[in-house]
Short mmCIF file of all heavy atoms in Angstrom, two decimals:
data_model
loop_
_atom_site.label_atom_id
_atom_site.label_comp_id
_atom_site.label_asym_id
_atom_site.label_seq_id
_atom_site.Cartn_x
_atom_site.Cartn_y
_atom_site.Cartn_z
N ASN A 95 -40.88 -46.59 29.54
CA ASN A 95 -41.93 -45.99 30.36
C ASN A 95 -41.67 -44.49 30.45
O ASN A 95 -41.77 -43.79 29.45
CB ASN A 95 -41.97 -46.65 31.74
CG ASN A 95 -43.28 -46.41 32.47
OD1 ASN A 95 -44.34 -46.34 31.85
ND2 ASN A 95 -43.22 -46.29 33.77
N HIS A 96 -41.32 -43.97 31.62
CA HIS A 96 -41.07 -42.54 31.78
C HIS A 96 -39.60 -42.19 31.52
O HIS A 96 -38.71 -42.99 31.82
CB HIS A 96 -41.41 -42.09 33.21
CG HIS A 96 -42.82 -42.39 33.62
ND1 HIS A 96 -43.92 -41.83 33.01
CD2 HIS A 96 -43.32 -43.19 34.60
CE1 HIS A 96 -45.03 -42.27 33.59
NE2 HIS A 96 -44.69 -43.09 34.55
N GLY A 97 -39.38 -40.98 31.03
CA GLY A 97 -38.02 -40.48 30.99
C GLY A 97 -37.51 -40.25 32.41
O GLY A 97 -36.46 -40.76 32.81
N ILE A 98 -38.28 -39.48 33.19
CA ILE A 98 -37.97 -39.21 34.60
C ILE A 98 -39.25 -39.40 35.41
O ILE A 98 -40.29 -38.82 35.07
CB ILE A 98 -37.45 -37.78 34.80
CG1 ILE A 98 -36.15 -37.55 34.02
CG2 ILE A 98 -37.22 -37.48 36.28
CD1 ILE A 98 -35.68 -36.10 34.03
N PHE A 99 -39.17 -40.19 36.47
CA PHE A 99 -40.29 -40.35 37.40
C PHE A 99 -39.86 -39.83 38.76
O PHE A 99 -38.79 -40.19 39.27
CB PHE A 99 -40.73 -41.81 37.52
CG PHE A 99 -41.83 -42.02 38.53
CD1 PHE A 99 -43.15 -41.86 38.16
CD2 PHE A 99 -41.54 -42.32 39.85
CE1 PHE A 99 -44.18 -42.03 39.09
CE2 PHE A 99 -42.55 -42.50 40.79
CZ PHE A 99 -43.88 -42.34 40.39
N LEU A 100 -40.72 -38.98 39.38
CA LEU A 100 -40.38 -38.35 40.65
C LEU A 100 -41.59 -38.44 41.58
O LEU A 100 -42.71 -38.10 41.19
CB LEU A 100 -40.04 -36.87 40.44
CG LEU A 100 -38.94 -36.55 39.43
CD1 LEU A 100 -39.05 -35.11 38.95
CD2 LEU A 100 -37.58 -36.81 40.05
N ARG A 101 -41.35 -38.88 42.81
CA ARG A 101 -42.42 -38.86 43.81
C ARG A 101 -41.84 -38.44 45.15
O ARG A 101 -40.84 -39.00 45.60
CB ARG A 101 -43.09 -40.23 43.94
CG ARG A 101 -44.20 -40.27 45.00
CD ARG A 101 -44.82 -41.65 45.14
NE ARG A 101 -45.66 -41.96 44.00
CZ ARG A 101 -45.72 -43.16 43.42
NH1 ARG A 101 -44.94 -44.13 43.85
NH2 ARG A 101 -46.52 -43.36 42.40
N GLY A 102 -42.46 -37.44 45.77
CA GLY A 102 -42.01 -37.00 47.07
C GLY A 102 -42.33 -38.00 48.16
O GLY A 102 -43.16 -38.90 47.98
N ALA A 103 -41.66 -37.86 49.29
CA ALA A 103 -41.88 -38.75 50.41
C ALA A 103 -43.31 -38.58 50.93
O ALA A 103 -43.88 -37.50 50.91
CB ALA A 103 -40.88 -38.46 51.53
N SER A 104 -43.90 -39.67 51.42
CA SER A 104 -45.24 -39.59 52.00
C SER A 104 -45.18 -38.73 53.26
O SER A 104 -44.35 -38.95 54.13
CB SER A 104 -45.74 -41.00 52.35
OG SER A 104 -45.85 -41.78 51.19
N GLN A 105 -46.08 -37.76 53.34
CA GLN A 105 -46.04 -36.86 54.48
C GLN A 105 -47.41 -36.23 54.66
O GLN A 105 -48.21 -36.14 53.73
CB GLN A 105 -44.99 -35.77 54.26
CG GLN A 105 -45.18 -35.00 52.96
CD GLN A 105 -43.97 -34.18 52.63
OE1 GLN A 105 -43.46 -33.49 53.47
NE2 GLN A 105 -43.51 -34.26 51.39
N THR A 106 -47.67 -35.79 55.87
CA THR A 106 -48.92 -35.12 56.18
C THR A 106 -48.74 -33.63 56.03
O THR A 106 -47.74 -33.06 56.45
CB THR A 106 -49.36 -35.44 57.62
OG1 THR A 106 -49.48 -36.85 57.75
CG2 THR A 106 -50.69 -34.79 57.93
N ALA A 107 -49.71 -32.98 55.41
CA ALA A 107 -49.61 -31.54 55.21
C ALA A 107 -49.64 -30.81 56.54
O ALA A 107 -50.25 -31.26 57.51
CB ALA A 107 -50.76 -31.07 54.33
N ASP A 108 -48.98 -29.67 56.58
CA ASP A 108 -49.05 -28.77 57.72
C ASP A 108 -50.43 -28.12 57.71
O ASP A 108 -50.79 -27.40 56.77
CB ASP A 108 -47.95 -27.71 57.61
CG ASP A 108 -47.91 -26.78 58.82
OD1 ASP A 108 -48.97 -26.47 59.37
OD2 ASP A 108 -46.80 -26.35 59.18
N LEU A 109 -51.23 -28.38 58.72
CA LEU A 109 -52.62 -27.93 58.70
C LEU A 109 -52.74 -26.41 58.77
O LEU A 109 -53.78 -25.85 58.41
CB LEU A 109 -53.39 -28.57 59.86
CG LEU A 109 -53.49 -30.10 59.81
CD1 LEU A 109 -54.28 -30.61 61.01
CD2 LEU A 109 -54.14 -30.55 58.52
N THR A 110 -51.69 -25.73 59.24
CA THR A 110 -51.77 -24.26 59.33
C THR A 110 -51.44 -23.59 58.01
O THR A 110 -51.95 -22.51 57.70
CB THR A 110 -50.83 -23.74 60.42
OG1 THR A 110 -49.48 -24.12 60.11
CG2 THR A 110 -51.21 -24.30 61.77
N THR A 111 -50.59 -24.22 57.22
CA THR A 111 -50.16 -23.60 55.96
C THR A 111 -50.60 -24.37 54.73
O THR A 111 -50.63 -23.83 53.63
CB THR A 111 -48.63 -23.45 55.91
OG1 THR A 111 -48.05 -24.77 55.90
CG2 THR A 111 -48.12 -22.68 57.11
N GLY A 112 -50.93 -25.66 54.91
CA GLY A 112 -51.27 -26.49 53.77
C GLY A 112 -50.07 -26.92 52.96
O GLY A 112 -50.21 -27.57 51.93
N LEU A 113 -48.86 -26.56 53.41
CA LEU A 113 -47.67 -26.85 52.63
C LEU A 113 -47.02 -28.15 53.07
O LEU A 113 -47.07 -28.54 54.23
CB LEU A 113 -46.66 -25.71 52.76
CG LEU A 113 -47.12 -24.34 52.25
CD1 LEU A 113 -46.05 -23.29 52.52
CD2 LEU A 113 -47.43 -24.41 50.76
N SER A 114 -46.38 -28.81 52.11
CA SER A 114 -45.62 -30.00 52.43
C SER A 114 -44.27 -29.59 53.01
O SER A 114 -43.99 -28.41 53.21
CB SER A 114 -45.41 -30.84 51.17
OG SER A 114 -44.56 -30.15 50.28
N ALA A 115 -43.43 -30.57 53.28
CA ALA A 115 -42.13 -30.30 53.89
C ALA A 115 -41.13 -29.69 52.91
O ALA A 115 -40.00 -29.43 53.27
CB ALA A 115 -41.55 -31.57 54.50
N GLY A 116 -41.53 -29.49 51.69
CA GLY A 116 -40.66 -28.81 50.73
C GLY A 116 -39.74 -29.73 49.97
O GLY A 116 -38.63 -29.34 49.62
N ASP A 117 -40.16 -30.98 49.71
CA ASP A 117 -39.37 -31.86 48.86
C ASP A 117 -39.34 -31.27 47.45
O ASP A 117 -40.38 -30.91 46.89
CB ASP A 117 -39.98 -33.26 48.83
CG ASP A 117 -40.07 -33.87 50.22
OD1 ASP A 117 -39.30 -33.45 51.09
OD2 ASP A 117 -40.91 -34.77 50.43
N VAL A 118 -38.15 -31.16 46.88
CA VAL A 118 -37.97 -30.39 45.64
C VAL A 118 -37.23 -31.23 44.62
O VAL A 118 -36.22 -31.88 44.93
CB VAL A 118 -37.16 -29.10 45.92
CG1 VAL A 118 -36.90 -28.35 44.62
CG2 VAL A 118 -37.91 -28.22 46.91
N ALA A 119 -37.70 -31.19 43.38
CA ALA A 119 -36.98 -31.77 42.25
C ALA A 119 -36.74 -30.67 41.23
O ALA A 119 -37.67 -30.00 40.80
CB ALA A 119 -37.78 -32.91 41.62
N ASN A 120 -35.48 -30.50 40.85
CA ASN A 120 -35.10 -29.53 39.82
C ASN A 120 -34.66 -30.29 38.58
O ASN A 120 -33.82 -31.19 38.66
CB ASN A 120 -33.94 -28.65 40.31
CG ASN A 120 -34.30 -27.87 41.56
OD1 ASN A 120 -35.38 -27.30 41.64
ND2 ASN A 120 -33.41 -27.84 42.53
N VAL A 121 -35.20 -29.92 37.43
CA VAL A 121 -34.80 -30.52 36.15
C VAL A 121 -34.32 -29.38 35.27
O VAL A 121 -35.12 -28.58 34.78
CB VAL A 121 -35.97 -31.28 35.49
CG1 VAL A 121 -35.54 -31.87 34.16
CG2 VAL A 121 -36.49 -32.38 36.42
N TYR A 122 -33.01 -29.31 35.09
CA TYR A 122 -32.39 -28.17 34.40
C TYR A 122 -31.59 -28.64 33.19
O TYR A 122 -30.71 -29.50 33.31
CB TYR A 122 -31.43 -27.43 35.34
CG TYR A 122 -32.06 -26.81 36.57
CD1 TYR A 122 -31.31 -26.63 37.73
CD2 TYR A 122 -33.39 -26.38 36.58
CE1 TYR A 122 -31.86 -26.05 38.86
CE2 TYR A 122 -33.95 -25.80 37.70
CZ TYR A 122 -33.17 -25.64 38.85
OH TYR A 122 -33.72 -25.06 39.98
#
């Protein structure tokens, strides 16, 4: 199937900024 599968935690956007909580995946 996929080499790497990534999904952030379910969360509600910050209505003032539109940003998520900043869940981050780095592939280096």
Side-chain angles (χ1 to χ4, degrees):
N95 198 34
H96 303 297
I98 299 173
F99 177 86
L100 305 159
R101 179 182 287 140
S104 297
Q105 55 194 312
T106 302
D108 184 325
L109 297 180
T110 60
T111 65
L113 298 176
S114 67
D117 301 337
V118 176
N120 300 315
V121 179
Y122 297 152

